[in-house]
Amino acid sequence: MKKFLFVLICVLALMIGLYPLMYAFVDHKNTFLGSKSLEVLQNQIWKSAFFAHIIFGGIALFIGWRQFGSRFRNKYLQFHRIIGKSYVISVLISSVSAIYMGIYANGGIVSSAGFIALGLVWLATTLAAVVHIRKGRVIKHRQFMIYSYACTFAAVTLRLWYPLLTRITHDPDNSYIAVAWLCWLPNLLVAYWINKKNSEAN
C-alpha cells in the first residue's frame, strides 16, 4: 500500500507538473485566466506573477517527488543536491508569486487569506529546510522538505478537491473558497503524520 501511494503521488505530480504547458496550446479564455476580470488581466505584474507561479511551481512539483526515495538519495547524492537546489529556487519564485497573486484571488478575503497563507508556509518551510541542511541537521532538513512538498502538492489536491466539492454542493464559488484552505491544510497534517512515523521508526 505504501509503495502504491508513493507511485500514485509521483504520477499525479508528473501530470500536474506539466499543466503549465497547456497555456501554450489552449486559448486563455478556456483556462483559469478566463475567470479573471479584465482589470486583473491588464495588470502586467499580476500576469508575470501568474506565469512565474505556474511555471516554477510546475517544475517544483515535477522534480520534488524524486527527493524522497532513500535508495536514490543515498546512491546519487550529488544528483540529489542538484535537484534540491533547483527545487528550492523554483519554490522561492513560485511562492513569492503566489503570495502576490493571493491578493487578487477569486472568492474574496477568505480565499485570499487561504492562498496567501499557503504561499507564506510554503516559503517558510522551504527556507527552514535550507537552513537546517546548511547546519548539518539532516533529519530536520528532511522533515521541513516533507512539509514543503506537502505545500507544493497543493497544486494536485486543489484539482481534486474543487471538482469533488462542486459536484457535491453545486456551488462552485463557495467550493473554491473552501478549497483555498482544503488544498493544503490536510496536506500538512499528512506531512506531520509522516514525520512523526519516521521519528518513531528512528
Side-chain angles (χ1 to χ4, degrees):
M1 178 60 72
K2 186 177 179 181
K3 189 173 182 180
F4 170 76
L5 289 174
F6 182 71
V7 171
L8 180 62
I9 288 171
C10 295
V11 170
L12 290 171
L14 291 172
M15 288 173 61
I16 303 301
L18 293 172
Y19 166 79
L21 292 176
M22 177 182 72
Y23 285 85
F25 303 102
V26 179
D27 192 320
H28 288 183
K29 69 180 179 182
N30 297 320
T31 67
F32 171 75
L33 292 177
S35 69
K36 306 304 291 186
S37 68
L38 184 62
E39 181 183 0
V40 171
L41 293 175
Q42 289 177 340
N43 182 336
Q44 292 304 312
I45 298 177
W46 183 91
K47 208 164 184 179
S48 297
F50 171 75
F51 283 109
H53 171 63
I54 65 167
I55 291 170
F56 287 97
I59 292 171
L61 185 64
F62 195 84
I63 66 176
W65 64 272
R66 179 65 277 181
Q67 298 295 80
F68 296 107
S70 57
R71 187 181 301 175
F72 171 85
R73 185 172 60 239
N74 295 334
K75 189 174 182 180
Y76 303 104
L77 184 58
Q78 191 58 35
F79 193 43
H80 170 79
R81 288 170 177 164
I82 292 171
I83 294 175
K85 289 175 182 177
S86 301
Y87 173 84
V88 168
I89 292 169
S90 296
V91 170
L92 293 181
I93 296 171
S94 189
S95 63
V96 171
S97 300
I99 293 166
Y100 174 78
M101 285 175 59
I103 299 170
Y104 300 89
N106 297 341
I109 190 168
V110 177
S111 56
S112 285
F115 287 122
I116 290 171
L118 168 57
L120 289 170
V121 173
W122 194 18
L123 178 62
T125 53
T126 306
L127 290 176
V130 172
V131 169
H132 282 300
I133 198 60
R134 286 188 173 178
K135 293 184 177 181
R137 302 168 186 160
V138 176
I139 293 176
K140 283 289 185 183
H141 166 73
R142 290 176 186 170
Q143 289 175 339
F144 275 100
M145 272 303 186
I146 289 172
Y147 286 125
S148 171
Y149 198 70
C151 293
T152 305
F153 205 72
V156 174
T157 46
L158 183 150
R159 289 165 178 81
L160 297 176
W161 276 112
Y162 181 64
L164 176 63
L165 287 181
T166 301
R167 188 178 182 85
I168 293 171
T169 65
H170 304 289
D171 186 349
D173 292 337
N174 282 320
S175 293
Y176 190 79
I177 293 171
V179 165
W181 295 91
L182 275 175
C183 72
W184 63 280
L185 284 176
N187 295 14
L188 288 183
L189 290 176
V190 172
Y192 173 78
W193 179 80
I194 291 171
N195 282 331
K196 188 176 180 181
K197 283 290 182 182
N198 289 342
S199 296
E200 290 172 354
N202 295 328

